[in-house]
Amino acid sequence: MQLFKAFCKIGKRRITTIGIYFVIYAVITIILSVTAKDNLNVNFQSKELSVCVIDEDNSKASKALTSYLGSIHHLVDLENDPEVLQEHLYYRDINYVLTISKGFEEKLLAGEKEGFVTNVKVPGSSAGYFADQQVTEYIQALQLYLTGGFSIDEAIEKVSASFANAGEVEAVVFEKETAEGRKEVFYFYQYLPYIFILLLFAGLAPIIMIFQEKDMQNRINCSAQKLLSRNLELALGCGAYSIGMWFLFMILGTLVYRGSMFTGNALYAMLNSFVFLLISIAMTLFLSCFDLGVNVMNVVNIVANLFGLGMSFLGGVFVPQNMLSDKVLAFSRFLPTYWYVRANNMLAGFSSESFDMHLYWNAIGIQLLFALTAFALTLVASKLKRQA
Amino acid sequence: MFWHAFYYYLKSTLRQKENLCWTLLFPIALGTMFFVAFSGLSDEESLHTIPVAAVVKEEDIALKSVLDTLGEAGEDQFLEVTYASEEEALDLLQNKEIIGILHGGSPVTLSVNAQMDNMQMEQSILSAFVDQYNAIFDGIKNVAMTNPEKVEAVIRGLSEETDYNKEITYTDGTMDEMVSYFFNLIAMTCLYASMTGLKIAIRNQANLSALGARRTLSPTHRLISILGEITACILFQTVIVWISLFYLGVILKVNFGSQTGYMMLASLVGCMFGISFGFFVGCIGKMEEAIKVGILMVLTMFNCFLSGLMVHSMRIQVEKICPWYNKINPAALISDSFYALSVFQSHDRYFGNLATLFAMAVCLCVAGFFIVRREKYATL
């Protein structure tokens, strides 16, 4: 077990660097999974928008409109400064800014038809249209009662009662089998592909590369140890490092999400993450076959981020798959992250795709094929390197 | 001696082909991947015609008339209505071919598919439409019961064209939030320059490199040779970022705005910070190079993460929880400079960000130099 011992010794020397990587990426994973729910749903899921109302009229009617919007949306209190409001709109922290102009109530009573309120929204957005619709319907209803001879107080009362009694929307359930357990666990799994690629590329690849150095290779080659045994020992080292990392992340998940990590579909998500770990190992081994020049650490980090971020964005790790265009999704099918995220979305119920064990095993199988392909490419690349 | 150090640093950097290739490839390749991933994203946010099924009876004349008007083909077509029986409508809903079923009667009701979570905005818009229809219907009924003589005026009022709610904008700048990912990509490229800053520190420390040991023997003032190398490094990295900006802005046509000169200046200051940061980390402590690289990488990634590289709204979340961090986070300052240029006409915010970055860069550089300036080694 000489090679395995040497692997462990090198790993031990690099334990501080690996520890730094682990801590920071663990923090990133936790922050991402904790904040993910809002981020993933910002455009599509939330019936409750974030609306900022600036009431310049401060009348009964304007307060009634504000209160109505507050009953259906989340009202956000922000400084009335265009720069601040614009920034919150840009980052989609709020969806809509409504300014109730001075003279709002007077215009209502006078039966005027324009210039009651102004709004700022993301141009052409469905969220903006939704809020527009509700503001208009409220003002229209108020004006209807005022034209019908009611006083402003009566009109507000009637309109409020009318919207309060609005019928419930019936949600028809067609499929009995839905995702179980706490969804938050799946947000934790959602980001693991990026973290695994980064941790393995930046932590494991530099160790393997030491064994690939020319002098080291020559020294190993002239030893009495058989090729198979040498490769097995190195594989054991890589496996120990990678599974150790995976295990640490599972412990982290258990500490944060406790029992939910082991209930319902979460166990399938765990298996999914393990299969992706195999892909990350295979990719790391493949990368290690190449000579990356003098600044190995610099290049390894660049490659890690290039692959990690690129595959994550294209596969739907950071941007939900349902937001990616069909053309991008067609291309993404050739990336393992796509199948990982698709399986995770299905297990969590994030997508409209129904829970289907057949599809899950398909996704796992395809990921295993990706891993096998990468392993095969590694063997070819290392053979070519030896022959060269 | 300054120009000597400057020239030879540039020459040696340009001769490291792998490093040059990857440093240049990184923003270009990742920018291309972002571009591909985000193509077609904005469409998802905008409103499209909503397909619905309507289950109506003969007496639902008013509802049918409203649905026909809203379903008229054209640019602003709101609904795509399919009149169907209850069973047919449920089939369409189960197959996810429609967003909801409108049931006629008083009041009008809506059914949606519980498994269509990703269509909740469209479902909500339909629900608001039903609420509006019912509220108006209720209103007319109430007026008819209380003041029947006013019904005609009410109906006339409803048919008049209104413009209660006017849309305005605060700026002519872009509202495409996906551009912020490109801002953060540029910020990350600038901060990656810290790796070359680290190399400069290592090349000048006798305990970390053979070249450092040789240089320690030379009579040249260390500040002058280090400044020469740092200047060359800033030039090299800035040109890399400018090439990336050219590729993203001109070839991929990412909407960075039209203030090219200011963008180039922001890149220059960003690279200055990145290199100073790397130089400072390289100068502190007696740690191995690998550990220092690790520290730089995780700090770069963590700062980029907090400025919105992975999830664009992260910056605003940080602004809510600890706004002071956005004021000192270099990645946030660089990306915010680009944001300020592309969204606002005023340059106050832009220059504020650059001033902070520049001040931090100078402080780190001076601090780094003070750490190494009189370092002596008993043995190596």
Side-chain angles (χ1 to χ4, degrees), chain A residues 89-366:
Chain A
L89 263 175
Y90 182 85
Y91 287 105
R92 309 307 193 256
D93 185 44
I94 54 173
N95 308 93
Y96 199 77
V97 181
L98 181 77
T99 306
I100 307 177
S101 319
K102 194 144 187 65
F104 171 73
E105 191 173 294
E106 283 168 23
K107 282 183 179 176
L108 259 178
L109 291 168
E112 287 184 29
K113 298 286 177 193
E114 56 183 36
F116 287 73
V117 291
T118 56
N119 71 78
V120 186
K121 59 187 176 244
V122 175
S125 65
S126 48
Y129 181 88
F130 179 41
D132 273 351
Q133 204 184 7
Q134 288 170 324
V135 171
T136 305
E137 77 187 36
Y138 192 85
I139 299 174
Q140 194 177 33
L142 266 185
Q143 207 160 42
L144 183 151
Y145 280 101
L146 291 172
T147 315
F150 289 81
S151 70
I152 185 80
D153 290 322
E154 287 169 335
I156 291 170
E157 196 188 320
K158 291 275 183 199
V159 172
S160 302
S162 178
F163 283 117
N165 297 333
E168 287 288 312
V169 176
E170 184 199 4
V172 187
V173 181
F174 291 104
E175 291 136 26
K176 290 264 176 346
E177 204 170 11
T178 52
E180 308 160 41
R182 280 174 66 188
K183 283 193 174 185
E184 290 90 330
V185 181
F186 298 98
Y187 289 110
F188 171 78
Y189 283 112
Q190 176 93 359
Y191 301 104
L192 287 186
Y194 169 70
I195 302 296
F196 284 162
I197 292 174
L198 262 284
L199 270 177
L200 264 60
F201 272 37
L204 183 60
I207 302 178
I208 306 169
M209 278 172 179
I210 292 174
F211 290 95
Q212 307 280 1
E213 281 171 12
K214 201 178 172 192
D215 289 344
M216 184 69 91
Q217 273 284 325
N218 289 341
R219 173 64 191 87
I220 296 170
N221 286 341
C222 71
S223 74
Q225 209 175 3
K226 283 181 184 165
L227 181 70
L228 181 69
S229 148
R230 286 188 321 230
N231 286 342
L232 279 178
E233 282 186 36
L234 271 182
L236 187 65
C238 294
Y241 172 90
S242 313
I243 293 172
M245 279 293 163
W246 179 80
F247 200 63
L248 284 175
F249 269 90
M250 292 308 114
I251 292 174
L252 183 73
T254 311
L255 288 175
V256 178
Y257 300 105
R258 303 192 179 267
S260 302
M261 283 286 284
F262 305 100
T263 51
N265 292 342
L267 285 171
Y268 290 119
M270 194 181 276
L271 174 65
N272 195 25
S273 71
F274 186 80
V275 173
F276 195 88
L277 182 82
L278 298 178
I279 298 172
S280 308
I281 299 173
M283 283 168 57
T284 309
L285 290 173
F286 183 63
L287 172 76
S288 312
C289 294
F290 295 94
D291 181 11
L292 298 178
V294 193
N295 297 321
V296 176
M297 283 303 288
N298 190 10
V299 176
V300 162
N301 278 298
I302 288 178
V303 176
N305 270 303
L306 191 59
F307 278 87
L309 285 172
M311 280 172 46
S312 299
F313 272 102
L314 288 168
V317 174
F318 294 128
V319 180
Q321 281 186 346
N322 58 17
M323 283 178 73
L324 297 174
S325 70
D326 291 344
K327 281 181 192 166
V328 174
L329 285 177
F331 171 75
S332 304
R333 284 166 192 272
F334 296 98
L335 297 173
T337 40
Y338 169 85
W339 295 100
Y340 175 88
V341 174
R342 191 167 165 191
N344 193 57
N345 282 349
M346 190 188 66
L347 292 170
F350 292 157
S351 61
S352 54
E353 206 156 41
S354 326
F355 181 78
D356 178 1
M357 278 314 284
H358 180 67
L359 184 71
Y360 171 77
W361 289 115
N362 258 356
I364 294 286
I366 292 169

Side-chain angles (χ1 to χ4, degrees), chain A residues 13-14 16-17 20-21 24-25 27-28 31-32 35 39 43-47 49 82-83 85-93 96-98 113-127 129-130 132-137 139-140 143-145 147-150 158 162-163 166 169-175 178 183 194 292-293 295 297-299 301-303 305-306 309-310 313-314 318-319 322-325 328 349 352, chain B residues 16 18-19 22-23 26 29-30 33-34 36-41 44-47 78 90 93-94 96 110-115 117-118 120-121 124-125 127-129 131-132 135-136 138-140 142-143 146-147 150 153-154 157-158 160-168 170-171 174-181 183 188 192 195 199 288 290-291 293-295 297-298 301-302 305 309-316 320 339 343-344 349:
Chain A
R13 274 189 64 189
R14 297 180 60 85
T16 318
T17 317
I20 295 169
Y21 283 125
I24 287 291
Y25 288 117
V27 171
I28 290 180
I31 298 177
L32 274 172
T35 57
N39 293 319
N43 294 317
F44 307 101
Q45 206 166 14
S46 176
K47 189 181 172 182
L49 304 176
E83 194 170 313
L85 295 168
Q86 174 72 21
E87 188 173 359
H88 282 263
L89 263 175
Y90 182 85
Y91 287 105
R92 309 307 193 256
D93 185 44
Y96 199 77
V97 181
L98 181 77
K113 298 286 177 193
E114 56 183 36
F116 287 73
V117 291
T118 56
N119 71 78
V120 186
K121 59 187 176 244
V122 175
S125 65
S126 48
Y129 181 88
F130 179 41
D132 273 351
Q133 204 184 7
Q134 288 170 324
V135 171
T136 305
E137 77 187 36
I139 299 174
Q140 194 177 33
Q143 207 160 42
L144 183 151
Y145 280 101
T147 315
F150 289 81
K158 291 275 183 199
S162 178
F163 283 117
V169 176
E170 184 199 4
V172 187
V173 181
F174 291 104
E175 291 136 26
T178 52
K183 283 193 174 185
Y194 169 70
L292 298 178
N295 297 321
M297 283 303 288
N298 190 10
V299 176
N301 278 298
I302 288 178
V303 176
N305 270 303
L306 191 59
L309 285 172
F313 272 102
L314 288 168
F318 294 128
V319 180
N322 58 17
M323 283 178 73
L324 297 174
S325 70
V328 174
S352 54
Chain B
Q16 290 170 25
E18 296 91 351
N19 191 37
W22 283 106
T23 314
F26 173 69
L30 200 53
M33 288 189 203
F34 279 8
V36 172
F38 301 150
S39 53
L41 269 191
E44 284 292 331
E45 201 181 5
S46 32
L47 181 72
F78 173 50
L90 278 170
L93 191 62
Q94 187 169 12
K96 297 175 182 171
L110 171 70
S111 302
V112 295
N113 185 338
Q115 271 87 33
D117 280 358
N118 55 333
Q120 202 170 351
M121 180 54 78
S124 306
I125 290 173
S127 158
F129 162 73
D131 288 351
Q132 184 180 16
I136 299 291
D138 255 12
I140 297 172
N142 279 334
V143 172
T146 324
N147 303 313
K150 303 262 186 183
V154 166
L158 286 174
E160 280 175 30
E161 200 151 298
T162 58
D163 188 13
Y164 298 123
N165 191 358
K166 195 176 175 193
E167 184 178 359
I168 56 165
Y170 292 134
T171 165
T174 179
M175 279 299 282
D176 182 2
E177 85 265 38
M178 294 305 158
V179 181
S180 70
Y181 285 109
F183 298 158
M188 184 160 70
Y192 259 1
M195 303 302 288
K199 280 278 169 203
E288 277 179 39
I291 297 177
V293 169
I295 292 172
M297 287 321 301
V298 293
M301 286 317 295
F302 192 62
F305 162 69
L309 177 69
M310 290 93 176
V311 179
H312 81 285
S313 59
M314 194 54 73
R315 191 189 173 281
I316 207 79
K320 282 191 214 165
Y339 164 77
V343 175
F344 297 111
R349 184 169 169 160

Side-chain angles (χ1 to χ4, degrees), chain B residues 66-79:
Chain B
V66 171
L67 292 179
D68 286 343
T69 311
L70 295 174
E72 272 173 18
E75 256 183 43
D76 55 351
Q77 183 183 353
F78 173 50
L79 298 175

